[in-house]
Amino acid sequence: MAAGPAPLGGHPRAQRPHLSKMERVVVSMQDPDQGVKMRSQRLLVTVIPHAVTGNDVVEWLIQKYCIAEDEALHLGTLLVQHGYLYPLRDPRRLLLRPDETPYRFQTPYFWMSTLWPAAELDYAIYLAKKNIRKQGALVDHEKVGYHHPSPATPAESSQRNPSPTSGAHSPGSRLIQMHKHTHPIEGVSEGRWGVHPPELGVGKSFPLETLNHPQAHYDQLHRKINHTWDLVVMQAREQLRAAKQRRKGDRLVIACQEQTYWLVNRPPPGVPSVLEQGPERGSCTARQVQMTKTVDFYKREIECCRKALGRTRVKSSVCLEAYLKFSSQRGPHDPLLSGCLPSNPWVTDNDTYWAMNAPSVAVPTKLRVEQWAFSFRELLEDPVGRAHFMDFLQTEFSAENLSFWEACEELRHGGQAQVPALVDAVYQQFLAPGAARWVNIDSRTMERTLEGLGRPHRHVLDDAQLHIYMLMKKDSYPRFLKSDLYKDLLAEAVVPLEMKRRVFPFMWKPRHSSPSLALLPTSTSGEPEAAAGSPGDGDGET
Amino acid sequence: MCDQTFLVNVFGSCDNCFKQRALRTVFKKSQQLSYCSICAEIMAADGLHENETLASLKSEAESLKGKLEEERAKLHDVELHQVAERVEALGQFVMKTRRTLKGHGNKVLCMDWCKDKRRIVSSSQDGKVIVWDSFTTNKEHAVTMPCTWVMACAYAPSGCAIACGGLDNKCSVYPLTFDKNENMAAKKKSVAMHTNYLSACSFTNSDMQILTASGDGTCALWDVESGQLLQSFHGHGADVLCLDLAPSETGNTFVSGGCDKKAMVWDMRSGQCVQAFETHESDINSVRYYPSGDAFASGSDDATCRLYDLRADREVAIYSKESIIFGASSVDFSLSGRLLFAGYNDYTINVWDVLKGSRVSILFGHENRVSTLRVSPDGTAFCSGSWDHTLRVWA
């Protein structure tokens, strides 16, 4: 390939950082000094060295990471599910039992990071070995896999064309017939052997309900395996022959290792696959597009850095103190931290809390009124708070400020099509000389705004809006907090009584559904008016 | 079978110089063209001034970043956990699953709360988007999208519409209707168009504008009514996976996180990147603002969550534990900002004390990875969605 701009990043994405971390854990578990205690495990007549018990694994994890037992068990289970440990007994189920059950560490050859993705051919060989060795004792889903291996990647399966299998002499059915001869399977007579996979008569003797399992892709894959079937069987026999020459203990261990590997890479139906990663990230398109934008990309980065170097920063101590203050101020208002009165609806199934804190309730709660004093933004965000603030401004004859601010918000967040009309309306009402509700903006901002009105866009009133916002925040807002109006509100505010959770289940009331916001008539500002809180309306359908 | 790689050469007329040469594919502003190798090299060097090469630009960017780190370090006089020593430790936390929402037939990928504090919308791998009243666990609406892997969904502030998108590269807005005769899919509006999957979407303060993040490396702001692109945000070097709008007074910024390990803060009006943070070691799956708007938290595949302060312009805390190996897929703060809830790919949810940096509690329950987590608007509970096909509301 001719020289071109270096690709961004330059190295392939490591999409599974958790695998290398798990491997580090497993390696440290096998450390002779600090690791888990190893012992020899007796299995039937053989002795397997370097085994650990489930209990020891959990204990070691608790010690090493200072965690509780449930977390240690969970972490250990994940290690087993990813195939880094395998049980010596009952190797079919990848679970970690916190007792004397023996486990061994998987050989690095079979680690997920080493040997992935698992090759289709290897799976076929594995199943063939099993079939030959165990006289047809494949589990249901493996039988399906054996006859109709699942595709490793969608790309593979799309390459194969579905086609009917050929006659009785195709290699595939030769194998089936071979089975017939070498492993007498209960209840199958010669005549029942069909050629097409679904009719292999296997439907009768090996219930293949799993035939409909999404992983079974018959015709497509049977054809692929057909021509390599001989190779598969040959390989399987070779491997079995070679294995016979090993000691029994080694054979057992290798069989367990292989089995674990395939349990992870070809999980039985119903078991979630730990290999799934979701849609691919960092795919080609983004990279290719980036390659041609490289110059722009670096220039933008340089620009961003230069601007960042020039910005003013605040000392860490100041910023961090602000968090402390914020959290301590809001702590009592945080239902998950301090609970809420009368009760948390999710805990007691009683939604009084929501009724009492509805967006437009007549008498707000004390906590709510207190929250208006925390910041101007929160006062404005609360419809009840904003309404009271508007009343206050009216007593001061400056209500047009808030109305102007609201109109600007509508412009900024409204639809693009409404922009010219809204800008015009705002100008007429608030900015034109002699306007009915003229707002007092400083001359420079006014000039700039009036200039911009010539070409109206969503942000044309931003400067004016900010000016008025700051005016209200610095001037009217502090006065509001000191006013009698606010003090009265605080005094009248409700403090609900705590409601304990019902103890007796037979007093359980059905949970009331509330009308969906989509059903309510909306006011002109786009905010729905609250329903009168009538319970039992509009029960949703299940 | 021999193991050789063949470079396929297409011969033809170059789109630029029109000479007959061996062509390769280039992308110019997302449009696919065929250039000969000479024109491709010229294009790659396009925009460079004299004495500039691509390598020199790259090294300039690197050195500036280094200088920026130095500047940031100068004002860093104390660590968060030191300051937080004065704060009382939190007591034992007992949080339980209060509701389990079953009904999705496949992995739940995303969810969002309605402003009424009880309804939620959730989307899954099989294309189903369901609106639930999670208090009663009733399903109220269901839509089947024409694509799979619906990775983004959002509830409109008015509660009258939902937006969703995924592998179809689009963001579609569905108005919610209770009319049995109306098919929700009929009124669907396609708003956003990207060139790769949609990873996140969010309405701004109203139903009229929607902000999207995509696997094509860009974010964009759209007008819902017309589908017009109002502003686009370029700067990420790889897929953008998440975004969050700032709860600020002027309401003009948002933060996004991506596969390039960067979290970037944008000015919605100008489309410029205001601040960028690059301390994570892997993809950033989720970003969420601290309730005051002065900071934000991020969760990443490197199994850590980090807190970045916007005024100090640096990372101020890391939430990690040696026993946590799997990536964090989604994070959210409690109402006071004292607690950080993070859902992980190891099926658990960890609750962190934001100020002290320690883990308060670990929640088990899901049987597959937790893909999405949001605290309810009034902070009374949080909801988690998982690949085990269920959603759980915890309180």
Side-chain angles (χ1 to χ4, degrees):
Chain A
M1 218 152 66
L8 247 44
H11 47 82
R13 278 173 41 80
Q15 206 168 357
R16 301 177 300 168
H18 58 277
L19 288 183
S20 47
K21 288 191 186 145
M22 276 198 283
E23 279 152 23
R24 247 177 276 146
V25 173
V26 165
V27 165
S28 61
M29 279 169 97
Q30 293 176 72
D31 183 88
D33 303 313
Q34 306 279 334
V36 188
K37 195 168 78 163
M38 304 265 199
R39 50 187 89 177
S40 296
Q41 181 63 40
R42 189 174 211 85
L43 269 185
L44 305 170
V45 289
T46 36
V47 175
I48 316 283
H50 306 306
V52 294
T53 64
N55 209 16
D56 284 346
V57 170
V58 171
E59 284 300 323
W60 186 89
L61 286 169
I62 293 175
Q63 279 284 334
K64 168 110 173 147
Y65 295 117
C66 309
I67 50 182
E69 182 171 348
D70 52 6
E71 196 181 345
L73 185 58
H74 183 79
L75 181 55
T77 309
L78 283 168
L79 288 174
V80 178
Q81 279 174 345
H82 282 78
Y84 289 102
L85 264 104
Y86 57 90
L88 281 173
R89 290 193 207 114
D90 189 20
R92 221 166 258 308
R93 311 222 344 226
L94 293 179
L95 294 174
L96 182 73
R97 281 187 225 280
D99 52 21
E100 298 304 305
T101 321
Y103 291 85
R104 275 188 109 247
F105 293 98
Q106 178 68 292
T107 169
Y109 175 74
F110 278 130
W111 280 356
M112 274 232 287
S113 52
T114 324
L115 203 58
W116 186 85
E120 211 46 64
L121 210 57
D122 289 338
Y123 189 47
I125 294 171
Y126 167 69
L127 289 179
K129 278 200 296 188
K130 255 194 134 170
N131 211 8
I132 295 169
R133 198 176 42 196
K134 292 277 182 80
Q135 309 280 334
L138 290 180
V139 193
D140 279 346
H141 78 278
E142 283 174 340
K143 284 174 207 143
V144 174
Y146 190 34
H147 298 301
H148 327 288
S150 58
T153 59
E156 267 185 58
S157 63
S158 60
Q159 281 164 18
R160 299 179 204 115
N161 302 314
S163 71
T165 52
S166 51
H169 304 294
S170 75
S173 61
R174 247 209 317 265
L175 175 64
I176 312 302
Q177 291 192 334
M178 182 182 67
H179 286 189
K180 198 172 61 169
H181 295 310
T182 55
H183 335 289
I185 288 125
E186 61 269 33
V188 177
S189 64
E190 305 247 323
R192 289 233 217 115
W193 285 107
V195 182
H196 290 277
E199 300 156 10
L200 270 172
V202 294
K204 294 281 157 86
S205 53
F206 325 140
L208 280 176
E209 296 93 12
T210 43
L211 270 182
N212 293 323
H213 192 267
Q215 281 178 352
H217 294 256
Y218 315 140
D219 301 318
Q220 293 176 2
L221 303 157
H222 193 81
R223 186 167 183 262
K224 188 233 183 187
I225 288 296
N226 252 345
H227 70 273
T228 55
W229 206 245
D230 290 342
L231 168 68
V232 165
V233 175
M234 242 174 19
Q235 273 284 4
R237 295 195 151 177
E238 264 313 304
Q239 288 186 10
L240 283 175
R241 200 171 304 149
K244 279 204 173 64
Q245 310 200 334
R246 291 201 197 96
R247 280 183 8 232
K248 182 132 195 259
D250 288 344
R251 236 185 300 154
L252 221 144
V253 159
I254 291 171
C256 278
Q257 287 173 343
E258 232 192 328
Q259 178 157 39
T260 304
Y261 175 74
W262 288 112
L263 273 175
V264 171
N265 283 282
R266 295 282 184 275
V271 175
S273 165
V274 294
L275 302 175
E276 286 197 85
Q277 288 297 311
E280 205 189 308
R281 295 177 182 175
S283 58
C284 305
T285 321
R287 265 206 304 276
Q288 274 177 333
V289 175
Q290 276 312 311
M291 270 178 73
T292 56
K293 289 202 287 184
T294 305
V295 171
D296 290 335
F297 178 80
Y298 282 130
K299 288 207 163 166
R300 231 180 283 128
E301 259 204 338
I302 290 170
E303 188 57 39
C304 192
C305 282
R306 285 219 182 98
K307 260 195 267 175
L309 276 167
R311 73 182 294 123
T312 37
R313 274 175 207 87
V314 181
K315 270 200 303 194
S316 285
S317 45
V318 173
C319 302
L320 301 176
E321 285 291 332
Y323 300 156
L324 262 63
K325 176 160 179 270
F326 186 87
S327 288
S328 63
Q329 201 184 39
R330 313 297 162 127
H333 296 248
D334 186 342
L336 289 173
L337 205 56
S338 325
C340 54
L341 301 172
S343 69
N344 189 322
W346 301 100
V347 175
T348 57
D349 287 353
N350 179 297
D351 58 359
T352 313
Y353 178 73
W354 286 331
M356 297 187 82
N357 286 289
S360 306
V361 75
V363 185
T365 61
K366 187 129 194 221
L367 278 177
R368 188 170 173 179
V369 179
E370 279 172 9
Q371 200 169 349
W372 301 341
F374 289 164
S375 77
F376 188 42
R377 170 171 67 89
E378 280 165 275
L379 171 66
L380 290 184
E381 271 174 7
D382 186 344
V384 175
R386 197 196 283 198
H388 285 296
F389 185 62
M390 180 70 95
D391 291 341
F392 172 73
L393 288 179
Q394 262 153 10
T395 67
E396 299 211 324
F397 303 105
S398 52
E400 66 273 0
N401 286 342
L402 186 55
S403 302
F404 175 69
W405 182 85
E406 284 177 340
C408 290
E409 280 291 283
E410 214 184 310
L411 173 68
R412 235 155 37 110
H413 298 289
Q416 197 61 2
Q418 283 82 42
V419 165
L422 268 172
V423 170
D424 195 49
V426 168
Y427 173 72
Q428 295 299 335
Q429 214 185 5
F430 297 102
L431 297 173
R437 311 190 69 189
W438 193 78
V439 284
N440 193 357
I441 311 178
D442 70 289
S443 49
R444 223 178 35 171
T445 315
M446 179 65 97
E447 226 180 275
R448 245 202 331 258
T449 309
L450 291 177
E451 236 178 86
L453 288 180
R455 283 180 313 105
H457 58 90
R458 258 170 44 249
H459 294 287
V460 72
L461 295 173
D462 274 10
D463 291 337
Q465 182 184 10
L466 187 60
H467 179 90
I468 293 292
Y469 182 85
M470 284 311 188
L471 190 67
M472 289 193 289
K473 179 176 170 182
K474 300 247 160 72
D475 201 28
S476 319
Y477 176 59
R479 279 205 301 274
F480 169 73
L481 293 179
K482 295 199 197 95
S483 69
D484 289 334
L485 179 69
Y486 182 68
K487 293 207 173 90
D488 289 343
L489 283 168
L490 262 180
E492 285 163 13
V494 176
V495 180
L497 291 170
E498 188 181 354
M499 192 192 78
K500 294 272 197 290
R501 192 198 167 110
R502 277 184 225 276
V503 179
F504 304 105
F506 55 80
M507 300 228 335
W508 176 80
K509 265 166 57 184
R511 298 164 191 159
H512 296 303
S513 52
S514 75
S516 166
L517 290 175
L519 281 173
L520 299 175
T522 54
S523 57
T524 45
S525 69
E527 282 176 29
E529 300 152 4
S534 50
D537 271 359
D539 252 322
E541 301 158 332
T542 322
Chain B
M1 205 156 81
C2 62
D3 188 20
Q4 272 185 305
T5 320
F6 291 92
L7 181 64
V8 175
N9 267 335
V10 176
F11 279 85
S13 159
C14 168
D15 282 340
N16 198 33
C17 64
F18 305 110
K19 301 217 177 93
Q20 289 288 328
R21 296 235 164 89
L23 300 179
R24 78 166 68 118
T25 317
V26 296
F27 284 83
K28 203 170 183 176
K29 298 201 194 308
S30 314
Q31 194 202 353
Q32 189 171 330
L33 301 163
S34 297
Y35 275 18
C36 66
S37 51
I38 298 173
C39 293
E41 281 209 41
I42 295 173
M43 196 185 81
D46 201 18
L48 289 172
H49 297 305
E50 258 187 63
N51 301 330
E52 272 184 1
T53 63
L54 215 55
S56 76
L57 276 184
K58 185 170 180 188
S59 58
E60 194 185 340
E62 294 297 315
S63 75
L64 276 176
K65 276 197 227 173
K67 249 189 257 170
L68 186 57
E69 282 315 307
E70 275 174 37
E71 283 296 312
R72 282 171 167 171
K74 276 186 197 156
L75 286 173
H76 188 57
D77 49 351
V78 70
E79 297 286 338
L80 180 55
H81 63 86
Q82 289 170 307
V83 172
E85 266 159 27
R86 310 194 316 254
V87 182
E88 246 180 63
L90 294 170
Q92 263 299 342
F93 261 87
V94 178
M95 292 192 75
K96 290 199 251 194
T97 303
R98 304 291 175 177
R99 301 283 190 277
T100 308
L101 303 177
K102 295 191 201 183
H104 275 291
N106 215 315
K107 309 179 177 66
V108 176
L109 301 176
C110 185
M111 58 89 36
D112 191 17
W113 288 90
C114 175
K115 287 239 163 33
D116 74 354
K117 308 150 192 170
R118 48 194 286 174
R119 282 179 173 77
I120 63 172
V121 61
S122 60
S123 63
S124 72
Q125 182 195 348
D126 57 3
K128 281 243 167 38
V129 179
I130 302 181
V131 175
W132 318 70
D133 176 354
S134 51
F135 193 59
T136 58
T137 73
N138 290 334
K139 298 188 208 29
E140 295 193 340
H141 303 88
V143 178
T144 308
M145 295 271 289
C147 68
T148 57
W149 288 96
V150 186
M151 293 177 272
C153 64
Y155 223 119
S158 68
C160 299
I162 54 167
C164 45
L167 285 186
D168 57 351
N169 302 358
K170 296 198 282 228
C171 184
S172 312
V173 175
Y174 292 84
L176 293 176
T177 170
F178 278 99
D179 189 344
K180 296 216 203 316
N181 297 328
E182 265 190 53
N183 180 12
M184 261 178 69
K187 288 260 173 95
K188 151 178 146 167
K189 230 182 289 185
S190 267
V191 176
M193 299 283 276
H194 280 280
T195 53
N196 208 339
Y197 64 86
L198 195 84
S199 53
C201 67
S202 171
F203 284 91
T204 60
N205 281 24
S206 77
D207 285 15
M208 311 288 194
Q209 285 160 24
I210 194 160
L211 192 59
T212 58
S214 164
D216 65 9
T218 66
C219 302
L221 180 66
W222 310 83
D223 177 60
V224 173
E225 193 58 49
S226 60
Q228 184 189 355
L229 172 67
L230 297 172
Q231 184 63 262
S232 69
F233 306 91
H234 296 260
H236 274 288
D239 309 20
V240 186
L241 297 177
C242 50
L243 59 80
D244 190 33
L245 282 148
S248 81
E249 296 181 304
T250 44
N252 261 336
T253 59
F254 74 94
V255 63
S256 67
C259 287
D260 56 353
K261 312 173 195 169
K262 279 206 280 204
M264 302 176 83
V265 181
W266 306 88
D267 175 16
M268 271 165 64
R269 183 171 168 181
S270 63
Q272 296 296 321
C273 166
V274 173
Q275 279 171 289
F277 304 90
E278 201 173 346
T279 61
H280 268 295
E281 292 158 17
S282 190
D283 304 352
I284 298 179
N285 294 315
S286 167
V287 285
R288 195 70 66 205
Y289 270 96
Y290 186 75
S292 73
D294 288 331
F296 68 90
S298 60
S300 156
D301 271 348
D302 65 5
T304 65
C305 300
R306 294 173 199 235
L307 187 67
Y308 297 91
D309 188 292
L310 295 171
R311 295 190 296 166
D313 195 32
R314 58 175 292 118
E315 169 195 295
V316 291
I318 306 184
Y319 306 101
S320 68
K321 212 166 167 358
E322 269 202 322
S323 59
I324 299 177
I325 289 174
F326 286 72
S329 61
S330 55
V331 297
D332 204 354
F333 285 100
S334 71
L335 218 57
S336 64
R338 182 71 195 269
L339 299 172
L340 178 70
F341 302 101
Y344 288 79
N345 291 341
D346 65 358
Y347 323 169
T348 64
I349 296 167
N350 287 287
V351 185
W352 298 91
D353 181 334
V354 171
L355 300 178
K356 291 201 181 275
S358 57
R359 186 186 58 191
V360 171
S361 163
I362 179 168
L363 303 172
F364 299 97
H366 278 296
E367 289 156 19
N368 206 326
R369 64 164 79 174
V370 178
S371 52
T372 176
L373 190 154
R374 295 293 290 262
V375 172
S376 77
D378 64 350
T380 47
F382 71 89
C383 180
S384 60
S386 159
W387 281 18
D388 66 1
H389 311 187
T390 66
L391 293 117
R392 282 170 185 249
V393 180
W394 307 75

